Every structure is written in C-alpha cells, then in structure tokens.
Amino acid sequence: MKLPRFDYEAPATVAEAVELLAAHEDQASVLAGGQSLIPLLALRLARPAVLIDINGLGELSGVSVTDGFVTIGALTREFAAEESATVADAVPLLAAALPLIGHEAIRSRGTIGGSMAHADPAAELPAVARALDAEFVVRGQSGDRVIPAAEWFEGYLTTSRRSDEILLEVRFPAVMPGTGVAFQEIARRHGDFAIVGLAASLTLDDGAIGDARLAFAGLADVPVRAAEAEAFLVGQRPSAGLFEEAARRATAGLDPPADLHGSSEYRKKIAATLVRRGLQAAARNAGERQ
Amino acid sequence: MTDIAMTVNGATRTGSVEARKTLADFLRDDLDLTGTHVGCEHGVCGACTVIVDGRAVRSCLMLAVQAAGSEVTTIEGLAPDGALGTLQQAMWDSHSFQCGFCTPGFVMQASAFLSAHPDADEQQIRAALSGNLCRCTGYQSIIDGVLLAARRSRAGISEGISEG
Ligand SMILES: Cc1cc2nc3c(=O)[nH]c(=O)nc-3n(C[C@H](O)[C@H](O)[C@H](O)COP(=O)(O)OP(=O)(O)OC[C@H]3O[C@@H](n4cnc5c(N)ncnc54)[C@H](O)[C@@H]3O)c2cc1C
Ligand code: FES
Ligand code: FES
C-alpha cells in the first residue's frame, strides 16, 4: 500500500532530534534505515503523525574501540558493521550474526540501532546484545542514560527507551582471548527471520570453560539467556556429552510460542539442537583463536 | 511538498514531492522510469530494487526525499544506448526470465553484487539473490544467467557494453 500521510522532519543535530521527539511526545517515530518502520507504515500497523529522519546525523555512524569496549553508532548500517574489520576482530559474535539479517539490499539501509530499537524477538542482533551484555546509550531531554541489555528489551517490539529518547550507540565488550563464538539459526528460507536463533560464546582457559553465554531469539517476546545452562558449563571441559546436557538444561523450562512457522514443541526441539551445534561450533572456533 | 534533486542514470532530475512518496513511486510516476517494478510495496519481493550510491536498495522502503543528492541507477541506466551489457546478455542467453515482472529487481541486485564480488561462486550468488521473489522461473535459470555473466566477465568476454 502507499504510505499514509505524515509530517517529515530531518534534524541536523542530535539535540534538535531530541527536541522534536519531546515536542511530539508519542506521536513521533525516529526514521533510521526504514527497513522495519516503512513496512509498518505501508501495512498501517504504525501511524505516527511525524517522522524524524536521523539519516543526516553522521555523528551517529561509525565503529570505535575504547577501554575494552567496541562502540557502534546507532546509525551504522548493517552492511558497514558487516564489513568492519574492528567488528570482525573484537565482536566476532556480532560479525557472525550480521550476514544472517534479511538480504543484501536490506542491510544496505538497515541500521544497528534500528534493529535494537525495533526489538523484534526473532531478530539476530538483540540476541547478540543480550548474550554479550551490551549497553545502550540513549539521550533525552533529561540527559543521557546507559541501559544494560537485560533491561533494554522489555517485550514484543518494546524497549525501555522513553518516547523522547533517541538511541545514540550500542557498546559491546571486546572479546576475551580464547573465546569462540557461533550464531546458529533455523529459518525456512535464507534471509527470513529465524524460527529460532542462538547466539553462543565460549571462553576456554587451559582447556576448561571459563565463560559461557547462550541467548535465544524467537523463543519469547524478548531474547532469552540460558543462565542455568551457562552456569553448568563453567569449569568443565568441552565434550559432546557435556553439550548434550547443556542443551537439555537450556531448554527444560522453556515454553516457546506457537505460530504458523512452528509449534511450541518444534521450537523447543530446534532450540536444543542449536545449543548442541552452537556450543560445538564455538568450541571449535575457540580452539582456532587460541 | 518538498523540492528535490538527484542524479538518475547519470542525469540530474528534479521534482516536487510529498514526504510520503517512495523513491519507487517518484521514479515511476514523476520521472516516467517505469522499468522499476512495484510488487509488494513493503519490502519483501525485491522487484523495486535500484542502486543508490553504489548499493542495491529497495526503492519502496526509501522515501524520495531521502534520495535527494544521491546517485541512483535504475534498470533503464544499464543499457542507455540499447545494447545489452554482459549481465543482461548472459541472462538473455540463459532464458533467465519468463513474465519479466521480477526482472528489473533481479538484474539490479545481481549487477550491484557482481560489481562488488566479481569472483562470487554459486552459493554466494544464491545468497545475494535470496531477497528477490520470482513466481515463474523456479530460480535456476536466473542463477545460471548470473553465473554465466560472472564467468564471461572473468574471461574478459563482454558482449555489448560492459557494466561498471
Ligand atoms: C524483507 C526483510 C527481511 C528482514 N529480515 C530480517 C532478519 O532476518 N533479521 C533481522 O533482524 N531483521 C530483518 N529485517 C529488519 C531489518 O534488520 C531492519 O533494518 C531493522 O529491524 C530496523 O532497522 P532500521 O534501521 O531499518 O530501522 P527503522 O525501520 O528505521 O526503525 C525501526 C524502529 O526503530 C526505531 N528507531 C530506529 N533508530 C532509532 C534510534 N536511533 N533511536 C530511537 N529509535 C530508533 C524507529 O522509530 C522504529 O520504531 C528485515 C527487513 C525486511 C524488509
Ligand atoms: S515492491 Fe519493494 S520489495 Fe516489493
Ligand atoms: S519471471 Fe515472472 S516473476 Fe520472475
């Protein structure tokens, strides 16, 4: 369908964008890559009175490294992060997830901040942010806030961002030596949203697991960490039997939603398979990186 | 209404548009470049794919006002003097298309991809074209055409004009 009418603002500074957001309260939407918001407009699932286009805010794009953190500007395009050597070296889990987002042409425009602010529970990047305990930096009228990933994702397409706040950047902790990562997903076709996805990271220390991180996409209305399975893995040596038991623990308490892409039991079964595969791949990858 | 100017297929084009007009509709309705097709109008079919500042994008998911100042290439820009480029000729030779509705989107996506990845293999080509839907061909002939174009480019055989 053709897009509904809206007023259009293209602020030249972040301060101006924040002012505009505050002035229009919850009647305004930020327009970043438009790869989620424009379809929502076309389908009349969103009807903002005003679009605040942040594509002119060049200061919001780019990747930088400071004090063990990799900071990615909200407006950094998905393809640019995918091509970034810094991301590949220092946040390999993010690098593994990026090529799985939609298709080439989607990643040409789609932004890191847009995916995080949209917070689709089946999306790859929110699961990565949750697995790595990323932090979200937002700016509103009352100043800046730093929000940990555990508090950022509140529900289906809902974050803890207030309506007058703009997401400025996402900070990822740089990878520790000895860490292997994998992003695994099952989707009907290449580029589709995952039925279930898994972000996995294992850090080996003298052959034993020092740190384990598992976060699922597509199993609830927010990305889900498998805390019990993570704790179980720490201190042990990687083996097929260990990963089998981790898969059981990671999925035991789950009650995933059913939809036309898969029943609840099917999702649970896929989730267990992904844990096994993800941990195996991460352990292999850790060996290669040591 | 907002006055905009952009470079389309090498020429400066101007217009006066509502903010809600997509780049796809601006190209088709205001500039009469109806080679860009509009299928789903919400980002899933790829028929509207054009190249903006060197990258393939969905023109139904970009506002015309957002393309102001950009360099846009549409299907009409690939064979400006009527001679087919390497990619178009290879797709012709491979009988890549049937009804042709999806054609401009596939050709623009493949063109952007091959210029960035001239050495792409079949797997990479399949991934690159995964966002374009075709209701007729079953895709194999499209993949064959793009592979043939990649092979011919590498061998330095260029029928007609060659794409950049
Ligand atoms: C065909 C298709 C397939 C796709 N497949 C996938 C997939 O497999 N996996 C996946 O993860 N995604 C997929 N996507 C979505 C894609 O990743 C989007 O790019 C992303 O979800 C949104 O990013 P955007 O920059 O386009 O944001 P927009 O669409 O511009 O915005 C999305 C939402 O975030 C808000 N927002 C954006 N930036 C900010 C900011 N800086 N501050 C505050 N609010 C902000 C907007 O107001 C809006 O509510 C797909 C999209 C399409 C069309
Ligand atoms: S018309 Fe743009 S993707 Fe279908
Ligand atoms: S040739 Fe008919 S849709 Fe592709």
Side-chain angles (χ1 to χ4, degrees), chain A residues 106, chain B residues 24 36-49 57-61 101 131-133:
Chain A
I106 304 299
Chain B
T36 297
H37 288 175
V38 168
C40 66
E41 296 191 300
H42 63 267
V44 301
C45 76
C48 67
T49 306
V57 305
R58 304 259 204 256
S59 62
C60 73
L61 295 186
F101 192 84
N132 292 68
L133 301 184

PDB file of all heavy atoms in Angstrom, chain A residues 106, chain B residues 24 36-49 57-61 101 131-133, ligand 2:
ATOM      1  N   ILE A 106      18.516  -5.194   2.171  1.00  0.00           N
ATOM      2  CA  ILE A 106      18.001  -4.771   3.474  1.00  0.00           C
ATOM      3  C   ILE A 106      19.155  -4.212   4.306  1.00  0.00           C
ATOM      4  O   ILE A 106      19.049  -3.164   4.938  1.00  0.00           O
ATOM      5  CB  ILE A 106      17.359  -5.973   4.233  1.00  0.00           C
ATOM      6  CG1 ILE A 106      16.257  -6.628   3.413  1.00  0.00           C
ATOM      7  CG2 ILE A 106      16.880  -5.566   5.619  1.00  0.00           C
ATOM      8  CD1 ILE A 106      15.105  -5.756   3.065  1.00  0.00           C
TER       9      ILE A 106
ATOM     10  N   ALA B  24      10.503   4.613  -5.259  1.00  0.00           N
ATOM     11  CA  ALA B  24       9.936   3.808  -6.355  1.00  0.00           C
ATOM     12  C   ALA B  24       8.862   4.598  -7.102  1.00  0.00           C
ATOM     13  O   ALA B  24       8.856   4.665  -8.340  1.00  0.00           O
ATOM     14  CB  ALA B  24       9.345   2.508  -5.802  1.00  0.00           C
ATOM     15  N   THR B  36      11.426   0.208 -13.196  1.00  0.00           N
ATOM     16  CA  THR B  36      11.448  -0.221 -11.794  1.00  0.00           C
ATOM     17  C   THR B  36      10.047  -0.695 -11.436  1.00  0.00           C
ATOM     18  O   THR B  36       9.088   0.070 -11.544  1.00  0.00           O
ATOM     19  CB  THR B  36      11.867   0.948 -10.880  1.00  0.00           C
ATOM     20  OG1 THR B  36      13.192   1.333 -11.230  1.00  0.00           O
ATOM     21  CG2 THR B  36      11.828   0.547  -9.415  1.00  0.00           C
ATOM     22  N   HIS B  37       9.924  -1.956 -11.057  1.00  0.00           N
ATOM     23  CA  HIS B  37       8.597  -2.519 -10.786  1.00  0.00           C
ATOM     24  C   HIS B  37       8.254  -2.459  -9.306  1.00  0.00           C
ATOM     25  O   HIS B  37       9.136  -2.470  -8.460  1.00  0.00           O
ATOM     26  CB  HIS B  37       8.531  -3.962 -11.278  1.00  0.00           C
ATOM     27  CG  HIS B  37       8.497  -4.052 -12.778  1.00  0.00           C
ATOM     28  ND1 HIS B  37       8.528  -5.250 -13.450  1.00  0.00           N
ATOM     29  CD2 HIS B  37       8.443  -3.080 -13.724  1.00  0.00           C
ATOM     30  CE1 HIS B  37       8.485  -5.013 -14.757  1.00  0.00           C
ATOM     31  NE2 HIS B  37       8.441  -3.704 -14.946  1.00  0.00           N
ATOM     32  N   VAL B  38       6.965  -2.387  -9.040  1.00  0.00           N
ATOM     33  CA  VAL B  38       6.490  -2.335  -7.667  1.00  0.00           C
ATOM     34  C   VAL B  38       5.559  -3.537  -7.456  1.00  0.00           C
ATOM     35  O   VAL B  38       4.542  -3.652  -8.118  1.00  0.00           O
ATOM     36  CB  VAL B  38       5.748  -1.006  -7.409  1.00  0.00           C
ATOM     37  CG1 VAL B  38       5.005  -1.069  -6.094  1.00  0.00           C
ATOM     38  CG2 VAL B  38       6.744   0.146  -7.389  1.00  0.00           C
ATOM     39  N   GLY B  39       5.990  -4.438  -6.563  1.00  0.00           N
ATOM     40  CA  GLY B  39       5.193  -5.637  -6.326  1.00  0.00           C
ATOM     41  C   GLY B  39       4.440  -5.552  -5.022  1.00  0.00           C
ATOM     42  O   GLY B  39       3.237  -5.329  -4.977  1.00  0.00           O
ATOM     43  N   CYS B  40       5.170  -5.696  -3.915  1.00  0.00           N
ATOM     44  CA  CYS B  40       4.528  -5.808  -2.608  1.00  0.00           C
ATOM     45  C   CYS B  40       4.377  -4.468  -1.900  1.00  0.00           C
ATOM     46  O   CYS B  40       3.547  -4.326  -1.019  1.00  0.00           O
ATOM     47  CB  CYS B  40       5.361  -6.730  -1.729  1.00  0.00           C
ATOM     48  SG  CYS B  40       6.975  -6.028  -1.334  1.00  0.00           S
ATOM     49  N   GLU B  41       5.225  -3.503  -2.227  1.00  0.00           N
ATOM     50  CA  GLU B  41       5.265  -2.197  -1.560  1.00  0.00           C
ATOM     51  C   GLU B  41       5.515  -2.291  -0.062  1.00  0.00           C
ATOM     52  O   GLU B  41       5.164  -1.380   0.678  1.00  0.00           O
ATOM     53  CB  GLU B  41       3.984  -1.395  -1.807  1.00  0.00           C
ATOM     54  CG  GLU B  41       3.777  -1.042  -3.259  1.00  0.00           C
ATOM     55  CD  GLU B  41       2.655  -0.038  -3.456  1.00  0.00           C
ATOM     56  OE1 GLU B  41       1.522  -0.370  -3.078  1.00  0.00           O
ATOM     57  OE2 GLU B  41       2.928   1.054  -3.967  1.00  0.00           O
ATOM     58  N   HIS B  42       6.077  -3.376   0.417  1.00  0.00           N
ATOM     59  CA  HIS B  42       6.538  -3.360   1.805  1.00  0.00           C
ATOM     60  C   HIS B  42       7.809  -4.168   2.036  1.00  0.00           C
ATOM     61  O   HIS B  42       8.039  -4.682   3.118  1.00  0.00           O
ATOM     62  CB  HIS B  42       5.418  -3.706   2.802  1.00  0.00           C
ATOM     63  CG  HIS B  42       4.859  -5.081   2.654  1.00  0.00           C
ATOM     64  ND1 HIS B  42       3.765  -5.350   1.880  1.00  0.00           N
ATOM     65  CD2 HIS B  42       5.235  -6.253   3.205  1.00  0.00           C
ATOM     66  CE1 HIS B  42       3.492  -6.651   1.952  1.00  0.00           C
ATOM     67  NE2 HIS B  42       4.371  -7.212   2.738  1.00  0.00           N
ATOM     68  N   GLY B  43       8.622  -4.233   1.013  1.00  0.00           N
ATOM     69  CA  GLY B  43       9.985  -4.703   1.260  1.00  0.00           C
ATOM     70  C   GLY B  43      10.262  -6.182   1.108  1.00  0.00           C
ATOM     71  O   GLY B  43      11.398  -6.592   1.329  1.00  0.00           O
ATOM     72  N   VAL B  44       9.286  -6.992   0.717  1.00  0.00           N
ATOM     73  CA  VAL B  44       9.564  -8.427   0.703  1.00  0.00           C
ATOM     74  C   VAL B  44       9.854  -9.033  -0.671  1.00  0.00           C
ATOM     75  O   VAL B  44      10.409 -10.121  -0.732  1.00  0.00           O
ATOM     76  CB  VAL B  44       8.445  -9.259   1.384  1.00  0.00           C
ATOM     77  CG1 VAL B  44       8.253  -8.858   2.818  1.00  0.00           C
ATOM     78  CG2 VAL B  44       7.157  -9.184   0.610  1.00  0.00           C
ATOM     79  N   CYS B  45       9.517  -8.355  -1.771  1.00  0.00           N
ATOM     80  CA  CYS B  45       9.630  -9.050  -3.063  1.00  0.00           C
ATOM     81  C   CYS B  45      10.869  -8.685  -3.867  1.00  0.00           C
ATOM     82  O   CYS B  45      11.310  -9.455  -4.710  1.00  0.00           O
ATOM     83  CB  CYS B  45       8.379  -8.815  -3.905  1.00  0.00           C
ATOM     84  SG  CYS B  45       8.285  -7.174  -4.658  1.00  0.00           S
ATOM     85  N   GLY B  46      11.420  -7.504  -3.636  1.00  0.00           N
ATOM     86  CA  GLY B  46      12.648  -7.123  -4.331  1.00  0.00           C
ATOM     87  C   GLY B  46      12.462  -6.581  -5.741  1.00  0.00           C
ATOM     88  O   GLY B  46      13.440  -6.181  -6.382  1.00  0.00           O
ATOM     89  N   ALA B  47      11.224  -6.545  -6.253  1.00  0.00           N
ATOM     90  CA  ALA B  47      11.010  -6.093  -7.639  1.00  0.00           C
ATOM     91  C   ALA B  47      11.465  -4.652  -7.838  1.00  0.00           C
ATOM     92  O   ALA B  47      11.844  -4.253  -8.936  1.00  0.00           O
ATOM     93  CB  ALA B  47       9.530  -6.230  -8.008  1.00  0.00           C
ATOM     94  N   CYS B  48      11.423  -3.852  -6.767  1.00  0.00           N
ATOM     95  CA  CYS B  48      11.702  -2.416  -6.863  1.00  0.00           C
ATOM     96  C   CYS B  48      13.177  -2.084  -6.643  1.00  0.00           C
ATOM     97  O   CYS B  48      13.521  -0.920  -6.493  1.00  0.00           O
ATOM     98  CB  CYS B  48      10.868  -1.689  -5.816  1.00  0.00           C
ATOM     99  SG  CYS B  48      11.398  -2.104  -4.133  1.00  0.00           S
ATOM    100  N   THR B  49      14.046  -3.101  -6.597  1.00  0.00           N
ATOM    101  CA  THR B  49      15.461  -2.865  -6.273  1.00  0.00           C
ATOM    102  C   THR B  49      16.132  -1.929  -7.285  1.00  0.00           C
ATOM    103  O   THR B  49      16.036  -2.141  -8.493  1.00  0.00           O
ATOM    104  CB  THR B  49      16.223  -4.208  -6.234  1.00  0.00           C
ATOM    105  OG1 THR B  49      15.549  -5.082  -5.330  1.00  0.00           O
ATOM    106  CG2 THR B  49      17.671  -4.006  -5.787  1.00  0.00           C
ATOM    107  N   VAL B  57      19.286  -1.196  -3.101  1.00  0.00           N
ATOM    108  CA  VAL B  57      18.310  -0.911  -2.040  1.00  0.00           C
ATOM    109  C   VAL B  57      16.905  -1.167  -2.575  1.00  0.00           C
ATOM    110  O   VAL B  57      16.684  -1.185  -3.778  1.00  0.00           O
ATOM    111  CB  VAL B  57      18.384   0.549  -1.518  1.00  0.00           C
ATOM    112  CG1 VAL B  57      19.789   0.907  -1.056  1.00  0.00           C
ATOM    113  CG2 VAL B  57      17.907   1.543  -2.562  1.00  0.00           C
ATOM    114  N   ARG B  58      15.977  -1.338  -1.647  1.00  0.00           N
ATOM    115  CA  ARG B  58      14.568  -1.464  -2.010  1.00  0.00           C
ATOM    116  C   ARG B  58      14.018  -0.049  -2.165  1.00  0.00           C
ATOM    117  O   ARG B  58      13.957   0.692  -1.171  1.00  0.00           O
ATOM    118  CB  ARG B  58      13.806  -2.125  -0.864  1.00  0.00           C
ATOM    119  CG  ARG B  58      14.357  -3.463  -0.432  1.00  0.00           C
ATOM    120  CD  ARG B  58      13.513  -4.510  -1.029  1.00  0.00           C
ATOM    121  NE  ARG B  58      13.507  -5.776  -0.352  1.00  0.00           N
ATOM    122  CZ  ARG B  58      14.175  -6.845  -0.794  1.00  0.00           C
ATOM    123  NH1 ARG B  58      14.962  -6.753  -1.829  1.00  0.00           N
ATOM    124  NH2 ARG B  58      14.037  -7.996  -0.172  1.00  0.00           N
ATOM    125  N   SER B  59      13.580   0.324  -3.364  1.00  0.00           N
ATOM    126  CA  SER B  59      13.126   1.709  -3.547  1.00  0.00           C
ATOM    127  C   SER B  59      11.733   1.936  -2.970  1.00  0.00           C
ATOM    128  O   SER B  59      11.296   3.077  -2.853  1.00  0.00           O
ATOM    129  CB  SER B  59      13.184   2.123  -5.015  1.00  0.00           C
ATOM    130  OG  SER B  59      12.339   1.328  -5.803  1.00  0.00           O
ATOM    131  N   CYS B  60      11.038   0.860  -2.561  1.00  0.00           N
ATOM    132  CA  CYS B  60       9.747   1.056  -1.888  1.00  0.00           C
ATOM    133  C   CYS B  60       9.933   1.321  -0.399  1.00  0.00           C
ATOM    134  O   CYS B  60       8.985   1.651   0.295  1.00  0.00           O
ATOM    135  CB  CYS B  60       8.818  -0.142  -2.095  1.00  0.00           C
ATOM    136  SG  CYS B  60       9.284  -1.611  -1.149  1.00  0.00           S
ATOM    137  N   LEU B  61      11.174   1.116   0.111  1.00  0.00           N
ATOM    138  CA  LEU B  61      11.425   1.334   1.541  1.00  0.00           C
ATOM    139  C   LEU B  61      12.285   2.571   1.754  1.00  0.00           C
ATOM    140  O   LEU B  61      12.863   2.756   2.818  1.00  0.00           O
ATOM    141  CB  LEU B  61      12.117   0.111   2.174  1.00  0.00           C
ATOM    142  CG  LEU B  61      11.317  -1.186   2.206  1.00  0.00           C
ATOM    143  CD1 LEU B  61      12.080  -2.253   3.001  1.00  0.00           C
ATOM    144  CD2 LEU B  61       9.932  -0.985   2.804  1.00  0.00           C
ATOM    145  N   PHE B 101       8.201  -9.751 -14.618  1.00  0.00           N
ATOM    146  CA  PHE B 101       7.839  -8.800 -13.558  1.00  0.00           C
ATOM    147  C   PHE B 101       8.977  -8.602 -12.558  1.00  0.00           C
ATOM    148  O   PHE B 101       9.275  -7.499 -12.133  1.00  0.00           O
ATOM    149  CB  PHE B 101       6.558  -9.214 -12.821  1.00  0.00           C
ATOM    150  CG  PHE B 101       6.057  -8.100 -11.958  1.00  0.00           C
ATOM    151  CD1 PHE B 101       5.273  -7.100 -12.495  1.00  0.00           C
ATOM    152  CD2 PHE B 101       6.445  -7.990 -10.628  1.00  0.00           C
ATOM    153  CE1 PHE B 101       4.878  -6.011 -11.725  1.00  0.00           C
ATOM    154  CE2 PHE B 101       6.046  -6.909  -9.848  1.00  0.00           C
ATOM    155  CZ  PHE B 101       5.261  -5.926 -10.404  1.00  0.00           C
ATOM    156  N   GLY B 131      16.732 -12.321  -1.606  1.00  0.00           N
ATOM    157  CA  GLY B 131      15.659 -11.397  -1.252  1.00  0.00           C
ATOM    158  C   GLY B 131      14.764 -11.034  -2.415  1.00  0.00           C
ATOM    159  O   GLY B 131      13.892 -10.182  -2.276  1.00  0.00           O
ATOM    160  N   ASN B 132      14.968 -11.654  -3.570  1.00  0.00           N
ATOM    161  CA  ASN B 132      14.134 -11.342  -4.732  1.00  0.00           C
ATOM    162  C   ASN B 132      13.231 -12.527  -5.041  1.00  0.00           C
ATOM    163  O   ASN B 132      13.694 -13.659  -5.129  1.00  0.00           O
ATOM    164  CB  ASN B 132      15.023 -11.045  -5.941  1.00  0.00           C
ATOM    165  CG  ASN B 132      15.797  -9.751  -5.768  1.00  0.00           C
ATOM    166  OD1 ASN B 132      16.676  -9.652  -4.927  1.00  0.00           O
ATOM    167  ND2 ASN B 132      15.451  -8.749  -6.539  1.00  0.00           N
ATOM    168  N   LEU B 133      11.945 -12.239  -5.199  1.00  0.00           N
ATOM    169  CA  LEU B 133      10.987 -13.313  -5.464  1.00  0.00           C
ATOM    170  C   LEU B 133      10.647 -13.369  -6.947  1.00  0.00           C
ATOM    171  O   LEU B 133      10.515 -12.340  -7.608  1.00  0.00           O
ATOM    172  CB  LEU B 133       9.697 -13.089  -4.668  1.00  0.00           C
ATOM    173  CG  LEU B 133       9.858 -13.023  -3.145  1.00  0.00           C
ATOM    174  CD1 LEU B 133       8.496 -12.891  -2.478  1.00  0.00           C
ATOM    175  CD2 LEU B 133      10.581 -14.249  -2.622  1.00  0.00           C
TER     176      LEU B 133
HETATM  177  S1  FES C   2       7.922  -3.575  -4.109  1.00  0.00           S
HETATM  178 FE1  FES C   2       9.671  -3.092  -2.961  1.00  0.00          FE
HETATM  179  S2  FES C   2      10.225  -5.004  -2.169  1.00  0.00           S
HETATM  180 FE2  FES C   2       8.337  -5.453  -3.136  1.00  0.00          FE
END
